[in-house]
Structure formats: C-alpha cells, structure tokens
Amino acid sequence: MNKSELVEMIAEKTKITKKRAEDVVNLIFDIMVDAMVKGDRIEIRGLGSFVVKEYGAYTGRNPRTGESIQVSPKKLPFFKVGKELRERVDQVEHKEEKPPQT
Amino acid sequence: MTKADIIEQIYEKVGFSKKESAEIVELVFDTMKETLEKGEKIKISGFGNFVVRQKRPRIGRNPQTGEEIEISARKVMTFRPSQVLKAALNKGASEA
C-alpha cells in the first residue's frame, strides 16, 4: 500500500473528500517529520515509536577497497515496533497455518 | 510527541472538530496496523517504508547461561526511512 491508497481508504471509511483525506494524511506525516527534525521522540501507542539517534564523526572504511574515509556526524531515525503491532503482525502467520482448506 | 499532540495539530491546521480530528488520526494509524497485520508493506513517499519480513527459525543463545534455544519462525516489522527523511534530519549539519 502506498500513500495514495491509504488516502483512498481513509476517504472511503469516512465521509470526507479524497482531497481532504490527502491533506490530513500528508499533514500527519509532515508533523511527525517536523518532530523528528527537532529531535523529538514520537510514540504512537499500539504502533510503535520513532527515535532519532545521533552519531558522531568516525573513520569508516570502504569494505571493497579497504580505503579509509571520514564519516561526518549524522542523525538517523529508528522505529521500534510497539507490542500490539508486533504481536498482530506475527499472529496472522499462526492463524494461517491452521486452515489449509482453500 | 504522542498521538494526542498529532491530533491537536491536525485540529489546529485543518478545521475539523477535535472529535473528527481524533477519529481521522486514529483511522489512519488503525488502517496502517491492519495493512501490516495482513503482511502487506506500506510505502509512504517522503517518510519511509514499513515492511513485514518473514524470519526463519534459528538457534539463539541465552547470553547469561550460554544455553542454546531455538528462536521460532516469526514475522517482524521493520521501518526503512526514506532518503528524504534522512536528508531532512541532517539538513545544515551535513554541509559543514
């Protein structure tokens, strides 16, 4: 599923227009990006949390050539899946294993 | 930041009532959860991809006792941030 499919599903499930749904979906992700840019941690109960980790400068190596290169400081976002979603993602597997009728 | 903060900002910026804003935000996250639960991935351009991966069983080890145990096959969800998100986080800093 991509963002426009998500937008369509939201529009279908509510009474709002596709345009409005698109605005809201875009805004939700923009709000989350802004929070991460500020270094905020985001916690969505049931889904998971986003954390930005900061790395200092270090000397890395090109694994192919062995050449040393200086890696500048950087920030990377990480997502930790929440308990509810982690269990839901894994559970379907076990349900599917049981009925092989179809 | 929590879901409540996102709802508050949607309310301020979109002109829905607080109740409507809450319902839509909940619906977006619920729809995402339902999609991932089905094993389907979600690609949000400019943000990142949420992918469900099938892991095979493997032998793990209790780091405290050294005891070997089988870690069962399972599905896990991973997030791969988009280049756009990574660039946004490093804007200004990486140019130095």
Side-chain angles (χ1 to χ4, degrees):
Chain A
M1 175 165 90
N2 58 27
K3 196 161 67 181
S4 44
E5 287 163 341
L6 176 61
V7 166
E8 270 175 48
M9 287 189 77
I10 300 302
E12 271 170 34
K13 288 181 186 173
T14 57
K15 302 243 156 55
I16 63 176
T17 64
K18 228 182 250 185
K19 177 77 183 74
R20 289 281 265 176
E22 188 178 10
D23 289 345
V24 175
V25 169
N26 280 332
L27 205 49
I28 290 174
F29 291 106
D30 287 348
I31 290 167
M32 294 203 287
V33 171
D34 286 348
M36 283 191 267
V37 167
K38 279 187 237 155
D40 250 11
R41 167 198 156 85
I42 307 170
E43 188 175 335
I44 308 295
R45 210 48 73 73
L47 189 80
S49 54
F50 296 87
V51 194
V52 178
K53 283 189 193 165
E54 277 191 62
Y55 292 85
Y58 61 95
T59 308
R61 226 174 248 283
N62 180 330
R64 198 167 299 171
T65 64
E67 190 188 356
S68 288
I69 37 161
Q70 193 57 34
V71 180
S72 40
K74 63 183 169 188
K75 292 179 189 168
L76 283 177
F78 284 90
F79 176 73
K80 184 167 184 267
V81 63
K83 187 166 182 279
E84 183 202 331
L85 181 57
R86 189 176 66 228
E87 288 173 355
R88 280 172 67 176
V89 162
D90 195 35
Q91 239 165 34
V92 178
E93 162 76 6
H94 307 307
K95 279 184 209 144
E96 278 172 353
E97 278 170 354
K98 282 175 202 161
Q101 292 109 317
T102 53
Chain B
M1 166 174 277
T2 62
K3 205 156 56 184
D5 300 312
I6 297 175
I7 291 167
E8 182 65 29
Q9 287 199 46
I10 294 292
Y11 163 70
E12 283 165 17
K13 289 173 182 165
V14 184
F16 286 132
S17 71
K18 275 233 171 104
K19 189 165 170 287
E20 286 169 325
S21 305
E23 281 170 0
I24 292 173
V25 171
E26 295 283 359
L27 187 60
V28 168
F29 290 126
D30 284 347
T31 305
M32 288 173 69
K33 282 190 267 185
E34 280 160 24
T35 304
L36 292 166
E37 192 179 6
K38 282 188 260 169
E40 203 185 316
K41 71 173 158 197
I42 304 177
K43 296 158 91 170
I44 306 293
S45 62
F47 191 79
N49 299 345
F50 297 86
V51 190
V52 177
R53 299 180 58 197
Q54 176 70 54
K55 306 279 266 188
R56 295 188 194 182
R58 63 191 168 93
I59 302 298
R61 207 179 272 276
N62 180 331
Q64 223 145 50
T65 64
E67 188 189 358
E68 283 190 351
I69 36 162
E70 193 196 68
I71 297 167
S72 58
R74 63 190 65 199
K75 282 182 176 170
V76 296
M77 209 226 81
T78 54
F79 172 71
R80 298 210 55 208
S82 92
Q83 291 300 325
V84 179
L85 174 58
K86 286 200 243 175
L89 293 179
N90 291 289
K91 206 161 49 180
S94 59
E95 274 112 70

